Amino acid sequence: MADRTDLQLAAQYEAYPYPARDPRDEAKRLVVGSPSHLREVDHWIFGARRPASRPLNALMAGGGSGDGTIMLAQQMTSLGRPGRVTWLDRSAHARKVATARAEARGLDNILFQEGSILDLSRSGLGPFDYIDCCGVLHHLPDPAEGLAALVSVLAPGGGIGLMVYAPHGRTGVYMLQDALRLLAPTADPPPQRLDVAKRLWKQVPETAWLRRNPLIEDHIKGGDAGLYDLLLNPRDVAFTVPRLAALIAGAGLRIACLVEPLRYDPDTWLADPRLRARTAALDPIQRAALTEAICGNMGIHIAYCVRAEDPVAVPPWEDDAAVPVLRELDGAALAKGLRSDGVLPVTWDGLRAMVPLPRLAGAILQRVDGRRSWGEIVADVAAAGASAEQVARDRAALVKAMEPLNRLLLAAP
């Protein structure tokens, strides 16, 4: 039975489907992100070993206004991938928005289903090869119960993409949430609470931490839905890396990838050899927790998860028949723009990392087009004058540098 907070959440998302989207914008752009980018699912969940010809049955648990649903369904359509995406949410208003977006694109591989993820085990839906739960678990009364419900309809060998809020990058948010519980009690109608929140944001002093946090913009650029979800949500819990890892492990899952892996590596930010000697003694979760604590800019965590007992699906990087792909990058343009010193600058929420690339990085990257295999690329680079040994070394070095950026991945066979 839904408690009072659940009813308030339902009223919020009925009044303000999140995120705010206009179906007419589908003619201009496809909203792309993580989790649930098809290239990421192929790579991190299935280790680039699940055949592209095999139908993919996916669930968007808490589909909202449709970003993940539309992205995955469009990518499957564009690549000629068989399967279906099931949108599941409690909000009839959000369904109207997501349906209109699908219609604007002519997508026919989406099933729209209203309901709660907590009822999945008895819904008759599934099993699903892949499940997305983006921005939902942190609003549930018991996130562990929600994740268990997802696992109950996960097909053997399948995986889950999660996104939850993280505390440090949201500095200032929870302070204003506390203030608005006093000024705009949850019992008030949503429009009235929204009006109070807008007035308060105009009046809070410059010392308010949210004014000093450039990483959070929903209350500024996200419209009414963004402001309401950020500052007026009646249940909003943030997860540190250890807390998220415990939640995942408690559901019988393990983390296949924290997106992006290099960002969670403390050695990306700590050059001191004495500090690195200490980070080397930490396990992967401790290393990620250390990075989260010292960087202070992570507002969300994105994790791809698989069942703990499933074998580790390592992408076959050394297979010459494998096809490398660049996620949302053009290989030729990237190669042309590389710096002369061979260093690739990468920025995450205000922090810049300098990633060294091998000498042949440009020659290799300009040939990565999503069609040519590693064998074809290597042969072509060698034919241009490089030795086979050098190409092999630089290929391995390029993978080591760019896979942790979540940019160089392997396509489904």
Side-chain angles (χ1 to χ4, degrees):
M1 181 180 295
D3 62 16
R4 180 177 180 139
T5 304
D6 288 321
L7 295 176
Q8 292 164 346
L9 274 166
Q12 170 188 332
Y13 290 119
E14 201 60 49
Y16 307 107
Y18 182 82
R21 294 289 182 247
D22 185 340
R24 293 172 294 185
D25 291 340
E26 298 307 312
K28 306 174 187 176
R29 54 95 176 93
L30 175 67
V31 177
V32 175
S34 303
S36 301
H37 192 292
L38 184 56
R39 297 299 195 189
E40 296 176 3
V41 173
D42 286 339
H43 186 90
W44 297 115
I45 295 292
F46 300 116
R49 296 175 187 274
R50 190 178 193 273
S53 60
R54 184 175 172 186
L56 180 69
N57 192 22
L59 170 69
M60 294 289 160
S65 53
D67 279 3
T69 303
I70 299 301
M71 175 183 68
L72 183 55
Q74 182 64 68
Q75 289 173 341
M76 291 170 65
T77 297
S78 298
L79 292 172
R81 300 282 290 272
R84 184 175 70 182
V85 181
T86 297
W87 174 99
L88 178 71
D89 201 287
R90 296 189 299 176
S91 171
H93 192 174
R95 177 178 181 169
K96 290 180 181 178
V97 176
T99 301
R101 295 176 68 184
E103 290 174 349
R105 290 183 170 274
L107 297 172
D108 60 3
N109 56 348
I110 303 174
L111 171 66
F112 290 93
Q113 186 82 26
E114 288 184 33
S116 168
I117 69 173
L118 298 178
D119 297 327
L120 273 169
S121 62
R122 53 188 178 273
S123 67
L125 298 172
F128 297 98
D129 306 302
Y130 173 71
I131 298 173
D132 169 291
C133 193
C134 183
V136 177
L137 292 181
H138 49 236
H139 295 317
L140 296 180
D142 184 352
E145 181 186 5
L147 188 53
L150 300 182
V151 174
S152 74
V153 292
L154 182 64
I160 299 176
L162 300 175
M163 185 280 277
V164 296
Y165 293 149
H168 304 323
R170 287 167 65 81
T171 296
V173 170
Y174 298 107
M175 298 172 191
L176 285 190
Q177 284 187 7
D178 289 343
L180 285 165
R181 287 190 189 96
L182 298 172
L183 290 176
T186 55
D188 290 351
Q192 184 175 322
R193 299 188 73 215
L194 182 66
D195 177 68
V196 174
K198 289 179 176 179
R199 292 173 182 273
L200 178 63
W201 177 245
K202 291 179 181 179
Q203 292 288 300
V204 292
E206 292 303 313
T207 51
W209 280 107
L210 189 57
R211 285 212 182 274
R212 301 184 175 199
N213 187 344
L215 308 176
I216 302 295
E217 297 182 328
D218 249 5
H219 57 307
I220 299 171
K221 298 182 179 179
D224 290 350
L227 189 151
Y228 202 108
D229 195 64
L230 183 73
L231 299 180
L232 294 167
N233 198 298
R235 187 187 289 123
D236 173 345
V237 179
F239 287 77
T240 61
V241 168
R243 186 176 180 184
L244 175 60
L247 176 71
I248 291 169
L253 304 171
R254 61 177 168 80
I255 297 173
C257 169
L258 285 170
V259 179
E260 296 81 4
L262 190 68
R263 183 179 187 178
Y264 286 86
D265 183 349
D267 292 350
T268 302
W269 314 107
L270 302 176
D272 187 318
R274 292 193 179 184
L275 291 177
R276 286 191 171 188
R278 290 179 176 267
T279 65
L282 303 178
D283 65 38
I285 297 303
Q286 290 174 324
R287 290 174 65 85
L290 171 64
T291 307
E292 174 185 25
I294 63 174
C295 290
N297 68 339
M298 296 180 184
I300 61 173
H301 295 306
I302 297 170
Y304 285 109
C305 313
V306 296
R307 282 193 173 88
E309 68 269 18
D310 286 352
V312 177
V314 179
W317 282 112
E318 297 181 0
D319 183 358
D320 282 342
V323 176
V325 292
L326 287 164
R327 182 202 179 283
E328 305 309 312
L329 292 173
D330 177 81
L334 177 60
K336 185 177 181 180
L338 289 179
R339 294 173 18 154
S340 59
D341 61 3
V343 174
L344 179 67
V346 181
T347 302
W348 291 292
D349 294 322
L351 273 181
R352 171 174 280 200
M354 307 302 285
V355 181
L357 300 181
R359 182 172 63 84
L360 294 177
I364 296 172
L365 288 170
Q366 68 179 340
R367 293 169 170 83
V368 176
D369 56 11
R371 297 184 299 274
R372 282 185 273 194
S373 68
W374 269 130
E376 293 170 318
I377 292 171
V378 167
D380 200 19
V381 174
S387 70
E389 294 78 10
Q390 185 65 51
V391 177
R393 284 196 300 269
D394 283 16
R395 164 181 154 180
L398 184 64
V399 170
K400 186 177 180 180
M402 292 197 66
E403 183 191 31
L405 294 175
N406 194 38
R407 284 296 183 264
L408 183 61
L409 307 172
L410 287 183

